[in-house]
Amino acid sequence: FDKTGTLTYGRLTLLDTHTYTPLGASDCLALAAALEQHSEHPIARALRATVDELRHTATDVASTPGAGLSGAINSQRYFLGTAAFLQEAAGVRTQDDALAALRAGGNTLVLLSDTRQLLAAFVIGDEVRAGAKTLITELQRHGKRVLLLTGDHPGAAERVARETGIREVEADLLPQDKLARVHALADQGAIVAMVGDGVNDAAALAAAHVSVAMGGGTQIAAASADMILLSEHLPHLAEAVLVAGKTLRVIRQNMAWAVGYNLIALPFAAFGLVAPWMAALGMSASSLMVVANALRLSERTARAAPCADARL
């Protein structure tokens, strides 16, 4: 699972702004909003929502998926993203001790800098989706191994993992890191299902054996996934897994019946021990049994009424 917009609602809100230069909080937010005009990420929507109207226009905007983005505003280059991104792209070192206190609450931290120094830290909060813990509990109860892969910092990832019951967490991942984890699991013989919503998840969604995009996610995530969960109600996925497992069992039963029937019936027909009309009845009866067995799946789906709204 991805975190933001998947296990959480992705309706991020700005909780606090800390500035580190004479530039005020409103000025820093105006700069961040101008840069985020070029992004679809939930964090971008949260920062854009803090300003009534754009005061700046960012040009020459470059985005690094899973890390941050940069652009020119009034002939000055600004950088917005993770601490690692600011250090690598702008050469700006952040004070880890000061930022650690802001991360302590398990919220997401987005940093703004120019080419010389850190300007501001935006503390952004998100809420875990209703039903996320139910889904994880059901998957684990049926023997599924569940992992949380996120580009967010470890504090925010651990908070969501605690609230949902996920025991394996990897944070600070770039899109290529998520892709590498999917490939590594597949190389170990696992059948991998990936659930995500954003640009950062597109490569991992495309590489997984089965992939599900959230209905409110980005277009590139939807295009990369096998299915779209339009309802965005996560427990529907647990029901989908159960129905898929039963479907596979019914397919195997029907194949076994068809092979077994033909192994028994064909020798009798070859030696002329079965009249043509009896053979015709036998084949029709065999087909009807296969269809009747498959129809049990529709009975299961009808009993699981909530799954009807999942629209996978």
Side-chain angles (χ1 to χ4, degrees), residues 284-305:
S284 297
S286 175
S287 298
L288 287 173
M289 287 189 65
V290 168
V291 171
N293 193 34
L295 285 175
R296 293 192 300 121
L297 291 172
S298 63
E299 295 173 4
R300 167 61 183 262
T301 305
R303 288 197 301 269

Side-chain angles (χ1 to χ4, degrees), residues 228-233 236-237 239-240 305-312:
I228 301 175
L229 184 63
L230 295 180
S231 70
E232 298 196 343
H233 185 54
H236 288 161
L237 290 177
E239 183 61 33
C307 190
D309 296 329
R311 288 177 283 177
L312 288 173

Side-chain angles (χ1 to χ4, degrees), residues 31 33-38 56-61 70-74:
L31 293 170
L35 292 171
E36 293 289 22
Q37 283 296 115
H38 301 265
H56 307 289
T57 300
T59 59
D60 190 25
V61 175
S70 65
I73 301 175
N74 298 329

Side-chain angles (χ1 to χ4, degrees), residues 36-261:
E36 293 289 22
Q37 283 296 115
H38 301 265
S39 175
E40 292 184 75
H41 196 278
I43 288 177
R45 293 195 290 270
L47 290 175
R48 290 199 301 264
T50 62
V51 298
D52 296 327
E53 58 180 348
L54 286 176
R55 290 160 46 185
H56 307 289
T57 300
T59 59
D60 190 25
V61 175
S63 176
T64 303
L69 51 101
S70 65
I73 301 175
N74 298 329
S75 302
Q76 172 68 49
R77 193 86 186 167
Y78 293 93
F79 302 83
L80 184 70
T82 65
F85 172 73
L86 264 59
Q87 182 170 338
E88 181 177 348
V92 172
R93 290 185 173 274
T94 59
Q95 297 178 352
D96 292 337
D97 293 341
L99 298 181
L102 299 180
R103 293 191 179 105
N107 295 307
T108 297
L109 208 60
V110 181
L111 308 178
L112 174 71
S113 80
D114 55 19
T115 55
R116 297 169 297 163
Q117 60 190 332
L118 179 66
L119 301 178
F122 305 110
V123 182
I124 296 175
D126 197 3
E127 184 181 357
V128 173
R129 284 184 187 272
K133 183 174 177 59
T134 300
L135 169 63
I136 302 305
T137 300
E138 281 297 302
L139 291 176
Q140 292 173 338
R141 189 167 68 86
H142 287 89
K144 308 300 180 186
R145 179 185 174 191
V146 181
L147 298 90
L148 173 58
L149 306 179
T150 178
D152 212 338
H153 67 85
E158 291 290 347
R159 178 182 68 85
V160 171
R162 285 195 304 271
E163 293 186 29
T164 57
I166 296 177
R167 294 184 286 271
E168 296 184 64
V169 184
E170 295 189 47
D172 283 333
L173 298 181
L174 297 174
Q176 56 266 33
D177 297 326
K178 292 184 180 182
L179 177 62
R181 299 302 188 274
V182 170
H183 283 314
L185 289 168
D187 290 343
Q188 294 168 13
I191 303 299
V192 183
M194 176 73 190
V195 187
D197 83 309
V199 174
N200 301 340
D201 309 313
L205 287 169
H209 295 98
V210 180
S211 54
V212 182
M214 303 299 288
T218 61
Q219 292 182 353
I220 189 171
S224 302
D226 300 311
M227 297 173 283
I228 301 175
L229 184 63
L230 295 180
S231 70
E232 298 196 343
H233 185 54
L234 287 175
H236 288 161
L237 290 177
E239 183 61 33
V241 170
L242 294 179
V243 172
K246 185 168 185 181
T247 300
L248 189 58
R249 288 194 296 274
V250 168
I251 290 173
R252 288 170 175 162
Q253 290 166 5
N254 286 343
M255 293 294 293
W257 166 258
V259 171
Y261 174 84

